[in-house]
Amino acid sequence: MDASTPTPLGDSFNFAQHLLSCNSQRASKAAFIDDHGTLTYGQLDERVRRVASGLRALGIKREERVLLLMHDCNDWPVSFLGAMYAGIVPVAVNTLLTADDYAYMLEHSRAQAVLVSGALLPALTAAMTKSDHEVGKVIVSHPAAPLHPAEVAFETFVQAQSLLNKPAATSPDDPGFWLYSSGSTGRPKGTVHSHGNPYWTAELYGKGVLALTERDVCFSAAKLFFAYGLGNALSFPMSVGATTILMGERATPDATFKRWLGHIGGLKPTVFYGAPTGFAGMLASPDLPARDAVALRLVSSAGEALPAELGERFKRHFGVDIVDGIGSTEMLHIFLSNTPQRVRYGTTGWPVPGYDVELRGDDGAAVPDGEPGDLYIRGPSAAMMYWGNRAKTRDTFQGGWTKSGDKYLHNSDGSYTYGGRSDDMLKVSGIYVSPFEVEATLVQHSSVLEAAVIGVPDAQGLTKTKAFVVLKTGAQATEAELQAFVKDKLAPYKYPRQIAFVDDLPKTATGKIQRFKLRELEAKAT
């Protein structure tokens, strides 16, 4: 895994300006392709500068935040980089959340404006109604209905601006953007990343491990609001002058195959970034394309551990390995990974050059090979902090090390094998789900007395949520009824895929639910 040494950053560095400069000689080349058309690097450069100018004209100052609630499309990178170019901090948020979630994020980030997809405007409007925080302007990408006076169409906003020719004089350590990271309890954590952090992930992983080039066409199933997707579809391809296909819709097998076969924009992806749940769905699809129908040379996976059998089946069909790795919102992208030249299925691979990893026991000391330990990472892309959460910041960011919250084992060949979460957090389809949050929602149902949620493997070896529910005496409820109840209260992906009705739940002497005992019972049953 040898990689050339990246150029150190100086005192002055603006990440948006860096990416525009990387592609100043590619004005006519396609940078992004979405369902609406193609955006060349030259057009991207101009529109980024116009958005930067427009946000400044709204009176938004350096380091103030703007919320970016937008489906993947060509307007997303324009908005994200436009804010950063002006020294304003974009807060990229999950498009699958509820109005309550967005109300919290508006207040927590103190967003001065919102850039939003027309399809998501109703959820934003509901959030603004719930929130006491006042937003100055709402800029709507592809409006689906007539706009109110406080709203403006994205295209109208862009075309009304002059070009901002000089970027904000930011440094590599200045706040660049936020991503929200879920926690085991409580509200999402606003993870603050610097202007320098995405530079390092692009240099160390995009170039150093994946060896992307300007000839590549990149396509990511993971959306841009994820740390994984942001690197896959923006930081990495733009750092080498590649072309990216963006998809606003959900990454179903059919939607993915449509892009693989070049039906959108006429280009076939050479690089695909996915997650194990998606690969399982694709391999089970009757419409799985033939090997010679696609142009894939490189396939990446992250978000959850890749079962060895999935990787081997994919390789047999397409002749391309899946390069599995692990990253986090806190570290911005992948720090432990297999490589295109060296794949060991069933492991997460080896440390990415530029990153150090350690496995520690409960006492903080290193654990011997073969024994599980808590994974800690040290590297240049670590987040600065969780905004307004000093206790969690201190717990996660410990000196130069970042505590991942994952358990791992170190193998004799230097690779690492995933051993589960250190807490009770679950990753379902690559997205964290808090058991506590689902349990707290289930007990709001009039028939439910208690609930406990764990992760169970499905037939593909992927984690799915299962709820154990104790009903009130004499009460009745069905599995479908409780699933619909949770879907109505939370983001739909959080609902329990299975529900078992039980007489009681295992607890400690102090009344705390012992989820590990449920996991043990489930393991014995299977």
PDB file of all heavy atoms in Angstrom, residues 150-181:
ATOM      1  N   ALA A 150     -40.210  34.367   0.856  1.00  0.00           N
ATOM      2  CA  ALA A 150     -38.927  34.116   1.534  1.00  0.00           C
ATOM      3  C   ALA A 150     -38.124  33.022   0.854  1.00  0.00           C
ATOM      4  O   ALA A 150     -37.033  32.669   1.305  1.00  0.00           O
ATOM      5  CB  ALA A 150     -39.172  33.750   2.995  1.00  0.00           C
ATOM      6  N   GLU A 151     -38.663  32.485  -0.258  1.00  0.00           N
ATOM      7  CA  GLU A 151     -38.004  31.402  -0.985  1.00  0.00           C
ATOM      8  C   GLU A 151     -37.613  31.874  -2.381  1.00  0.00           C
ATOM      9  O   GLU A 151     -38.291  32.730  -2.968  1.00  0.00           O
ATOM     10  CB  GLU A 151     -38.949  30.192  -1.095  1.00  0.00           C
ATOM     11  CG  GLU A 151     -39.404  29.654   0.256  1.00  0.00           C
ATOM     12  CD  GLU A 151     -40.632  28.750   0.165  1.00  0.00           C
ATOM     13  OE1 GLU A 151     -41.240  28.684  -0.926  1.00  0.00           O
ATOM     14  OE2 GLU A 151     -40.994  28.145   1.195  1.00  0.00           O
ATOM     15  N   VAL A 152     -36.543  31.329  -2.909  1.00  0.00           N
ATOM     16  CA  VAL A 152     -36.098  31.685  -4.253  1.00  0.00           C
ATOM     17  C   VAL A 152     -35.609  30.424  -4.949  1.00  0.00           C
ATOM     18  O   VAL A 152     -34.994  29.546  -4.318  1.00  0.00           O
ATOM     19  CB  VAL A 152     -34.980  32.759  -4.206  1.00  0.00           C
ATOM     20  CG1 VAL A 152     -33.756  32.253  -3.444  1.00  0.00           C
ATOM     21  CG2 VAL A 152     -34.586  33.201  -5.612  1.00  0.00           C
ATOM     22  N   ALA A 153     -35.888  30.317  -6.227  1.00  0.00           N
ATOM     23  CA  ALA A 153     -35.413  29.171  -7.001  1.00  0.00           C
ATOM     24  C   ALA A 153     -33.890  29.229  -7.113  1.00  0.00           C
ATOM     25  O   ALA A 153     -33.303  30.298  -7.302  1.00  0.00           O
ATOM     26  CB  ALA A 153     -36.042  29.164  -8.383  1.00  0.00           C
ATOM     27  N   PHE A 154     -33.258  28.093  -7.001  1.00  0.00           N
ATOM     28  CA  PHE A 154     -31.795  28.013  -7.033  1.00  0.00           C
ATOM     29  C   PHE A 154     -31.241  28.648  -8.302  1.00  0.00           C
ATOM     30  O   PHE A 154     -30.296  29.445  -8.252  1.00  0.00           O
ATOM     31  CB  PHE A 154     -31.361  26.546  -6.939  1.00  0.00           C
ATOM     32  CG  PHE A 154     -29.879  26.354  -6.825  1.00  0.00           C
ATOM     33  CD1 PHE A 154     -29.259  26.378  -5.588  1.00  0.00           C
ATOM     34  CD2 PHE A 154     -29.096  26.138  -7.955  1.00  0.00           C
ATOM     35  CE1 PHE A 154     -27.884  26.192  -5.477  1.00  0.00           C
ATOM     36  CE2 PHE A 154     -27.729  25.952  -7.853  1.00  0.00           C
ATOM     37  CZ  PHE A 154     -27.122  25.985  -6.606  1.00  0.00           C
ATOM     38  N   GLU A 155     -31.838  28.334  -9.447  1.00  0.00           N
ATOM     39  CA  GLU A 155     -31.329  28.861 -10.713  1.00  0.00           C
ATOM     40  C   GLU A 155     -31.453  30.372 -10.770  1.00  0.00           C
ATOM     41  O   GLU A 155     -30.550  31.077 -11.234  1.00  0.00           O
ATOM     42  CB  GLU A 155     -32.049  28.205 -11.889  1.00  0.00           C
ATOM     43  CG  GLU A 155     -31.390  28.452 -13.231  1.00  0.00           C
ATOM     44  CD  GLU A 155     -29.968  27.911 -13.294  1.00  0.00           C
ATOM     45  OE1 GLU A 155     -29.683  26.871 -12.665  1.00  0.00           O
ATOM     46  OE2 GLU A 155     -29.129  28.544 -13.970  1.00  0.00           O
ATOM     47  N   THR A 156     -32.559  30.888 -10.271  1.00  0.00           N
ATOM     48  CA  THR A 156     -32.747  32.347 -10.219  1.00  0.00           C
ATOM     49  C   THR A 156     -31.706  32.995  -9.328  1.00  0.00           C
ATOM     50  O   THR A 156     -31.125  34.037  -9.656  1.00  0.00           O
ATOM     51  CB  THR A 156     -34.157  32.671  -9.702  1.00  0.00           C
ATOM     52  OG1 THR A 156     -35.126  32.068 -10.559  1.00  0.00           O
ATOM     53  CG2 THR A 156     -34.395  34.176  -9.643  1.00  0.00           C
ATOM     54  N   PHE A 157     -31.468  32.366  -8.192  1.00  0.00           N
ATOM     55  CA  PHE A 157     -30.484  32.872  -7.239  1.00  0.00           C
ATOM     56  C   PHE A 157     -29.094  32.915  -7.859  1.00  0.00           C
ATOM     57  O   PHE A 157     -28.376  33.913  -7.749  1.00  0.00           O
ATOM     58  CB  PHE A 157     -30.487  31.970  -6.004  1.00  0.00           C
ATOM     59  CG  PHE A 157     -29.463  32.327  -4.961  1.00  0.00           C
ATOM     60  CD1 PHE A 157     -29.654  33.415  -4.120  1.00  0.00           C
ATOM     61  CD2 PHE A 157     -28.306  31.568  -4.818  1.00  0.00           C
ATOM     62  CE1 PHE A 157     -28.708  33.731  -3.150  1.00  0.00           C
ATOM     63  CE2 PHE A 157     -27.360  31.880  -3.857  1.00  0.00           C
ATOM     64  CZ  PHE A 157     -27.559  32.967  -3.022  1.00  0.00           C
ATOM     65  N   VAL A 158     -28.710  31.838  -8.541  1.00  0.00           N
ATOM     66  CA  VAL A 158     -27.375  31.755  -9.135  1.00  0.00           C
ATOM     67  C   VAL A 158     -27.189  32.813 -10.218  1.00  0.00           C
ATOM     68  O   VAL A 158     -26.179  33.538 -10.245  1.00  0.00           O
ATOM     69  CB  VAL A 158     -27.119  30.346  -9.705  1.00  0.00           C
ATOM     70  CG1 VAL A 158     -25.819  30.313 -10.513  1.00  0.00           C
ATOM     71  CG2 VAL A 158     -27.068  29.310  -8.590  1.00  0.00           C
ATOM     72  N   GLN A 159     -28.148  32.901 -11.121  1.00  0.00           N
ATOM     73  CA  GLN A 159     -28.002  33.795 -12.267  1.00  0.00           C
ATOM     74  C   GLN A 159     -28.014  35.268 -11.881  1.00  0.00           C
ATOM     75  O   GLN A 159     -27.522  36.112 -12.630  1.00  0.00           O
ATOM     76  CB  GLN A 159     -29.103  33.504 -13.287  1.00  0.00           C
ATOM     77  CG  GLN A 159     -29.008  32.127 -13.921  1.00  0.00           C
ATOM     78  CD  GLN A 159     -27.656  31.872 -14.566  1.00  0.00           C
ATOM     79  OE1 GLN A 159     -27.032  32.773 -15.134  1.00  0.00           O
ATOM     80  NE2 GLN A 159     -27.179  30.625 -14.462  1.00  0.00           N
ATOM     81  N   ALA A 160     -28.556  35.596 -10.705  1.00  0.00           N
ATOM     82  CA  ALA A 160     -28.631  36.991 -10.274  1.00  0.00           C
ATOM     83  C   ALA A 160     -27.317  37.499  -9.680  1.00  0.00           C
ATOM     84  O   ALA A 160     -27.189  38.705  -9.419  1.00  0.00           O
ATOM     85  CB  ALA A 160     -29.754  37.153  -9.242  1.00  0.00           C
ATOM     86  N   GLN A 161     -26.328  36.600  -9.508  1.00  0.00           N
ATOM     87  CA  GLN A 161     -25.105  36.993  -8.806  1.00  0.00           C
ATOM     88  C   GLN A 161     -23.948  37.271  -9.760  1.00  0.00           C
ATOM     89  O   GLN A 161     -23.869  36.700 -10.847  1.00  0.00           O
ATOM     90  CB  GLN A 161     -24.673  35.867  -7.838  1.00  0.00           C
ATOM     91  CG  GLN A 161     -25.775  35.288  -6.997  1.00  0.00           C
ATOM     92  CD  GLN A 161     -26.512  36.315  -6.177  1.00  0.00           C
ATOM     93  OE1 GLN A 161     -25.922  37.297  -5.712  1.00  0.00           O
ATOM     94  NE2 GLN A 161     -27.812  36.098  -5.989  1.00  0.00           N
ATOM     95  N   SER A 162     -23.056  38.130  -9.297  1.00  0.00           N
ATOM     96  CA  SER A 162     -21.767  38.285  -9.967  1.00  0.00           C
ATOM     97  C   SER A 162     -20.832  37.193  -9.465  1.00  0.00           C
ATOM     98  O   SER A 162     -21.170  36.448  -8.536  1.00  0.00           O
ATOM     99  CB  SER A 162     -21.174  39.662  -9.648  1.00  0.00           C
ATOM    100  OG  SER A 162     -21.007  39.803  -8.247  1.00  0.00           O
ATOM    101  N   LEU A 163     -19.662  37.079 -10.068  1.00  0.00           N
ATOM    102  CA  LEU A 163     -18.704  36.064  -9.643  1.00  0.00           C
ATOM    103  C   LEU A 163     -17.843  36.579  -8.497  1.00  0.00           C
ATOM    104  O   LEU A 163     -17.352  37.711  -8.548  1.00  0.00           O
ATOM    105  CB  LEU A 163     -17.790  35.655 -10.804  1.00  0.00           C
ATOM    106  CG  LEU A 163     -18.288  34.561 -11.749  1.00  0.00           C
ATOM    107  CD1 LEU A 163     -19.482  35.074 -12.555  1.00  0.00           C
ATOM    108  CD2 LEU A 163     -17.178  34.107 -12.672  1.00  0.00           C
ATOM    109  N   LEU A 164     -17.688  35.767  -7.473  1.00  0.00           N
ATOM    110  CA  LEU A 164     -16.747  36.086  -6.410  1.00  0.00           C
ATOM    111  C   LEU A 164     -15.390  35.538  -6.846  1.00  0.00           C
ATOM    112  O   LEU A 164     -15.182  34.325  -6.888  1.00  0.00           O
ATOM    113  CB  LEU A 164     -17.184  35.451  -5.084  1.00  0.00           C
ATOM    114  CG  LEU A 164     -16.324  35.784  -3.862  1.00  0.00           C
ATOM    115  CD1 LEU A 164     -16.394  37.272  -3.537  1.00  0.00           C
ATOM    116  CD2 LEU A 164     -16.786  34.961  -2.652  1.00  0.00           C
ATOM    117  N   ASN A 165     -14.487  36.416  -7.192  1.00  0.00           N
ATOM    118  CA  ASN A 165     -13.230  35.979  -7.803  1.00  0.00           C
ATOM    119  C   ASN A 165     -12.143  35.630  -6.803  1.00  0.00           C
ATOM    120  O   ASN A 165     -11.156  34.999  -7.155  1.00  0.00           O
ATOM    121  CB  ASN A 165     -12.720  37.063  -8.752  1.00  0.00           C
ATOM    122  CG  ASN A 165     -13.581  37.164  -9.997  1.00  0.00           C
ATOM    123  OD1 ASN A 165     -13.972  36.150 -10.564  1.00  0.00           O
ATOM    124  ND2 ASN A 165     -13.911  38.384 -10.399  1.00  0.00           N
ATOM    125  N   LYS A 166     -12.331  36.046  -5.553  1.00  0.00           N
ATOM    126  CA  LYS A 166     -11.311  35.776  -4.544  1.00  0.00           C
ATOM    127  C   LYS A 166     -11.926  34.959  -3.418  1.00  0.00           C
ATOM    128  O   LYS A 166     -12.878  35.392  -2.783  1.00  0.00           O
ATOM    129  CB  LYS A 166     -10.752  37.091  -4.002  1.00  0.00           C
ATOM    130  CG  LYS A 166      -9.580  36.911  -3.039  1.00  0.00           C
ATOM    131  CD  LYS A 166      -9.033  38.254  -2.603  1.00  0.00           C
ATOM    132  CE  LYS A 166      -7.853  38.073  -1.648  1.00  0.00           C
ATOM    133  NZ  LYS A 166      -7.333  39.392  -1.180  1.00  0.00           N
ATOM    134  N   PRO A 167     -11.388  33.751  -3.169  1.00  0.00           N
ATOM    135  CA  PRO A 167     -11.965  32.933  -2.094  1.00  0.00           C
ATOM    136  C   PRO A 167     -11.657  33.503  -0.722  1.00  0.00           C
ATOM    137  O   PRO A 167     -10.735  34.310  -0.557  1.00  0.00           O
ATOM    138  CB  PRO A 167     -11.261  31.583  -2.281  1.00  0.00           C
ATOM    139  CG  PRO A 167      -9.938  31.939  -2.879  1.00  0.00           C
ATOM    140  CD  PRO A 167     -10.221  33.117  -3.790  1.00  0.00           C
ATOM    141  N   ALA A 168     -12.426  33.090   0.261  1.00  0.00           N
ATOM    142  CA  ALA A 168     -12.135  33.481   1.638  1.00  0.00           C
ATOM    143  C   ALA A 168     -10.745  32.974   2.011  1.00  0.00           C
ATOM    144  O   ALA A 168     -10.344  31.869   1.645  1.00  0.00           O
ATOM    145  CB  ALA A 168     -13.178  32.892   2.581  1.00  0.00           C
ATOM    146  N   ALA A 169     -10.021  33.795   2.738  1.00  0.00           N
ATOM    147  CA  ALA A 169      -8.640  33.459   3.113  1.00  0.00           C
ATOM    148  C   ALA A 169      -8.645  32.518   4.313  1.00  0.00           C
ATOM    149  O   ALA A 169      -8.216  32.874   5.415  1.00  0.00           O
ATOM    150  CB  ALA A 169      -7.863  34.732   3.419  1.00  0.00           C
ATOM    151  N   THR A 170      -9.128  31.313   4.088  1.00  0.00           N
ATOM    152  CA  THR A 170      -9.192  30.316   5.155  1.00  0.00           C
ATOM    153  C   THR A 170      -7.868  29.573   5.285  1.00  0.00           C
ATOM    154  O   THR A 170      -7.026  29.600   4.381  1.00  0.00           O
ATOM    155  CB  THR A 170     -10.312  29.303   4.866  1.00  0.00           C
ATOM    156  OG1 THR A 170     -10.144  28.796   3.536  1.00  0.00           O
ATOM    157  CG2 THR A 170     -11.675  29.952   4.987  1.00  0.00           C
ATOM    158  N   SER A 171      -7.710  28.879   6.406  1.00  0.00           N
ATOM    159  CA  SER A 171      -6.538  28.048   6.628  1.00  0.00           C
ATOM    160  C   SER A 171      -6.976  26.584   6.649  1.00  0.00           C
ATOM    161  O   SER A 171      -8.173  26.285   6.732  1.00  0.00           O
ATOM    162  CB  SER A 171      -5.883  28.397   7.971  1.00  0.00           C
ATOM    163  OG  SER A 171      -6.568  27.767   9.038  1.00  0.00           O
ATOM    164  N   PRO A 172      -6.042  25.635   6.578  1.00  0.00           N
ATOM    165  CA  PRO A 172      -6.414  24.217   6.629  1.00  0.00           C
ATOM    166  C   PRO A 172      -7.157  23.833   7.902  1.00  0.00           C
ATOM    167  O   PRO A 172      -7.912  22.864   7.916  1.00  0.00           O
ATOM    168  CB  PRO A 172      -5.070  23.485   6.553  1.00  0.00           C
ATOM    169  CG  PRO A 172      -4.115  24.465   5.986  1.00  0.00           C
ATOM    170  CD  PRO A 172      -4.584  25.814   6.416  1.00  0.00           C
ATOM    171  N   ASP A 173      -6.950  24.612   8.971  1.00  0.00           N
ATOM    172  CA  ASP A 173      -7.563  24.291  10.257  1.00  0.00           C
ATOM    173  C   ASP A 173      -8.833  25.077  10.536  1.00  0.00           C
ATOM    174  O   ASP A 173      -9.437  24.926  11.604  1.00  0.00           O
ATOM    175  CB  ASP A 173      -6.563  24.532  11.397  1.00  0.00           C
ATOM    176  CG  ASP A 173      -5.381  23.576  11.337  1.00  0.00           C
ATOM    177  OD1 ASP A 173      -5.565  22.453  10.843  1.00  0.00           O
ATOM    178  OD2 ASP A 173      -4.291  23.956  11.784  1.00  0.00           O
ATOM    179  N   ASP A 174      -9.275  25.901   9.599  1.00  0.00           N
ATOM    180  CA  ASP A 174     -10.527  26.626   9.783  1.00  0.00           C
ATOM    181  C   ASP A 174     -11.717  25.687   9.571  1.00  0.00           C
ATOM    182  O   ASP A 174     -11.642  24.748   8.757  1.00  0.00           O
ATOM    183  CB  ASP A 174     -10.636  27.785   8.794  1.00  0.00           C
ATOM    184  CG  ASP A 174      -9.842  29.002   9.228  1.00  0.00           C
ATOM    185  OD1 ASP A 174      -9.437  29.062  10.400  1.00  0.00           O
ATOM    186  OD2 ASP A 174      -9.617  29.893   8.391  1.00  0.00           O
ATOM    187  N   PRO A 175     -12.831  25.915  10.266  1.00  0.00           N
ATOM    188  CA  PRO A 175     -14.027  25.093  10.031  1.00  0.00           C
ATOM    189  C   PRO A 175     -14.439  25.156   8.569  1.00  0.00           C
ATOM    190  O   PRO A 175     -14.549  26.242   7.990  1.00  0.00           O
ATOM    191  CB  PRO A 175     -15.081  25.731  10.938  1.00  0.00           C
ATOM    192  CG  PRO A 175     -14.300  26.446  11.993  1.00  0.00           C
ATOM    193  CD  PRO A 175     -13.059  26.935  11.315  1.00  0.00           C
ATOM    194  N   GLY A 176     -14.625  23.989   7.953  1.00  0.00           N
ATOM    195  CA  GLY A 176     -14.991  23.931   6.541  1.00  0.00           C
ATOM    196  C   GLY A 176     -16.427  23.533   6.316  1.00  0.00           C
ATOM    197  O   GLY A 176     -17.149  24.136   5.531  1.00  0.00           O
ATOM    198  N   PHE A 177     -16.892  22.487   7.026  1.00  0.00           N
ATOM    199  CA  PHE A 177     -18.263  21.992   6.866  1.00  0.00           C
ATOM    200  C   PHE A 177     -18.607  21.103   8.049  1.00  0.00           C
ATOM    201  O   PHE A 177     -17.723  20.664   8.794  1.00  0.00           O
ATOM    202  CB  PHE A 177     -18.412  21.204   5.554  1.00  0.00           C
ATOM    203  CG  PHE A 177     -17.501  20.014   5.438  1.00  0.00           C
ATOM    204  CD1 PHE A 177     -17.932  18.731   5.781  1.00  0.00           C
ATOM    205  CD2 PHE A 177     -16.197  20.161   4.979  1.00  0.00           C
ATOM    206  CE1 PHE A 177     -17.085  17.643   5.690  1.00  0.00           C
ATOM    207  CE2 PHE A 177     -15.343  19.064   4.883  1.00  0.00           C
ATOM    208  CZ  PHE A 177     -15.791  17.807   5.241  1.00  0.00           C
ATOM    209  N   TRP A 178     -19.901  20.865   8.211  1.00  0.00           N
ATOM    210  CA  TRP A 178     -20.366  19.947   9.244  1.00  0.00           C
ATOM    211  C   TRP A 178     -21.055  18.751   8.601  1.00  0.00           C
ATOM    212  O   TRP A 178     -21.679  18.863   7.540  1.00  0.00           O
ATOM    213  CB  TRP A 178     -21.409  20.588  10.138  1.00  0.00           C
ATOM    214  CG  TRP A 178     -21.007  21.673  11.056  1.00  0.00           C
ATOM    215  CD1 TRP A 178     -19.873  22.429  11.043  1.00  0.00           C
ATOM    216  CD2 TRP A 178     -21.805  22.172  12.136  1.00  0.00           C
ATOM    217  NE1 TRP A 178     -19.913  23.353  12.042  1.00  0.00           N
ATOM    218  CE2 TRP A 178     -21.088  23.226  12.725  1.00  0.00           C
ATOM    219  CE3 TRP A 178     -23.050  21.831  12.646  1.00  0.00           C
ATOM    220  CZ2 TRP A 178     -21.588  23.931  13.821  1.00  0.00           C
ATOM    221  CZ3 TRP A 178     -23.552  22.531  13.726  1.00  0.00           C
ATOM    222  CH2 TRP A 178     -22.826  23.573  14.311  1.00  0.00           C
ATOM    223  N   LEU A 179     -20.966  17.612   9.304  1.00  0.00           N
ATOM    224  CA  LEU A 179     -21.799  16.443   9.041  1.00  0.00           C
ATOM    225  C   LEU A 179     -22.364  16.007  10.385  1.00  0.00           C
ATOM    226  O   LEU A 179     -21.681  16.127  11.406  1.00  0.00           O
ATOM    227  CB  LEU A 179     -20.986  15.305   8.422  1.00  0.00           C
ATOM    228  CG  LEU A 179     -20.261  15.604   7.102  1.00  0.00           C
ATOM    229  CD1 LEU A 179     -19.347  14.432   6.748  1.00  0.00           C
ATOM    230  CD2 LEU A 179     -21.248  15.859   5.981  1.00  0.00           C
ATOM    231  N   TYR A 180     -23.578  15.510  10.393  1.00  0.00           N
ATOM    232  CA  TYR A 180     -24.158  15.044  11.659  1.00  0.00           C
ATOM    233  C   TYR A 180     -23.908  13.560  11.839  1.00  0.00           C
ATOM    234  O   TYR A 180     -24.112  12.759  10.923  1.00  0.00           O
ATOM    235  CB  TYR A 180     -25.656  15.348  11.726  1.00  0.00           C
ATOM    236  CG  TYR A 180     -25.934  16.739  12.272  1.00  0.00           C
ATOM    237  CD1 TYR A 180     -26.139  17.809  11.426  1.00  0.00           C
ATOM    238  CD2 TYR A 180     -25.956  16.961  13.648  1.00  0.00           C
ATOM    239  CE1 TYR A 180     -26.374  19.079  11.929  1.00  0.00           C
ATOM    240  CE2 TYR A 180     -26.180  18.229  14.160  1.00  0.00           C
ATOM    241  CZ  TYR A 180     -26.397  19.289  13.302  1.00  0.00           C
ATOM    242  OH  TYR A 180     -26.617  20.543  13.807  1.00  0.00           O
ATOM    243  N   SER A 181     -23.453  13.198  13.042  1.00  0.00           N
ATOM    244  CA  SER A 181     -23.165  11.810  13.391  1.00  0.00           C
ATOM    245  C   SER A 181     -24.138  11.368  14.466  1.00  0.00           C
ATOM    246  O   SER A 181     -24.338  12.077  15.454  1.00  0.00           O
ATOM    247  CB  SER A 181     -21.729  11.684  13.910  1.00  0.00           C
ATOM    248  OG  SER A 181     -21.447  10.369  14.327  1.00  0.00           O
TER     249      SER A 181
END
